[in-house]
Amino acid sequence: MKANLILFIISIFAVQAFAQTTSEEQEITKTINLYFDGMMERNRTKLDQAFDPAARLIGYRGENFTVTPYEDWASGTAKGEPRNSDLFTNKILEIERKGYTAIAKTELFWPGIYYFDYLTLIKIDGQWKIVHKTWYEEKRED
């Protein structure tokens, strides 16, 4: 009887810990999807919900190393007509979280190019925000 009670108590704590992890990962996923949707829709509000204003985006454009402040990137990304989502695939491959920090690995398959994004997220004032994006791009044959 005592052993069953101990197992019951342990299982309650395990379920609570799993529920918290699942909830945090769902919030991180929500933030990344705001990023994806903001790019597809060219929606500045969604981009601002996903990114911290101090974020930097770092990678190569061809052979040129670039460091772009979030404001510059978001201003350009939000211009123009929404993209045709049938031509684009954006997916989350992996999320790793420790406390208030997380790293996400994503793949974006766009016409003519693959993007591989590595996103750093931090929970700020109760909200998960992308604070850094490092990307790699590869040409693709369509």
Side-chain angles (χ1 to χ4, degrees):
M1 181 72 163
K2 188 175 182 179
N4 287 340
L5 179 60
I6 291 171
L7 285 174
F8 176 73
I9 292 170
I10 290 171
S11 67
I12 288 174
F13 285 116
V15 167
Q16 287 177 340
F18 178 74
Q20 288 174 345
T21 299
T22 302
S23 174
E24 293 295 335
E25 287 179 4
Q26 287 173 345
E27 290 300 314
I28 292 165
T29 298
K30 180 180 170 184
T31 297
I32 296 168
N33 283 326
L34 283 166
Y35 158 52
F36 290 160
D37 293 345
M39 285 192 304
M40 293 295 95
E41 299 167 14
R42 297 188 182 269
N43 183 318
R44 179 61 190 260
T45 301
K46 288 184 178 182
L47 294 173
D48 288 346
Q49 290 172 335
F51 282 84
D52 182 77
R56 295 285 183 264
L57 296 85
I58 299 175
Y60 280 86
R61 290 266 177 239
E63 298 297 316
N64 299 314
F65 176 72
T66 65
V67 177
T68 307
Y70 169 71
E71 178 59 36
D72 295 350
W73 175 82
S75 294
T77 299
K79 290 181 183 173
E81 295 297 315
R83 293 179 168 101
N84 179 348
S85 61
D86 293 337
L87 302 176
F88 298 80
T89 302
N90 303 315
K91 63 183 176 178
I92 300 169
L93 298 179
E94 184 179 339
I95 295 172
E96 182 178 331
R97 180 185 66 84
K98 296 290 183 201
Y100 295 117
T101 64
I103 296 175
K105 182 177 166 182
T106 67
E107 287 182 341
L108 299 84
F109 300 107
W110 289 27
I113 200 157
Y114 293 120
Y115 288 105
F116 302 91
D117 289 351
Y118 300 90
L119 307 173
T120 302
L121 297 95
I122 295 180
K123 194 169 188 179
I124 303 169
D125 297 327
Q127 301 290 314
W128 285 97
K129 296 286 188 174
I130 299 167
V131 295
H132 181 85
K133 172 183 154 178
T134 301
W135 84 89
Y136 173 74
E137 64 182 38
E138 264 179 26
K139 300 275 187 229
R140 67 182 257 201
E141 302 296 323
D142 286 316

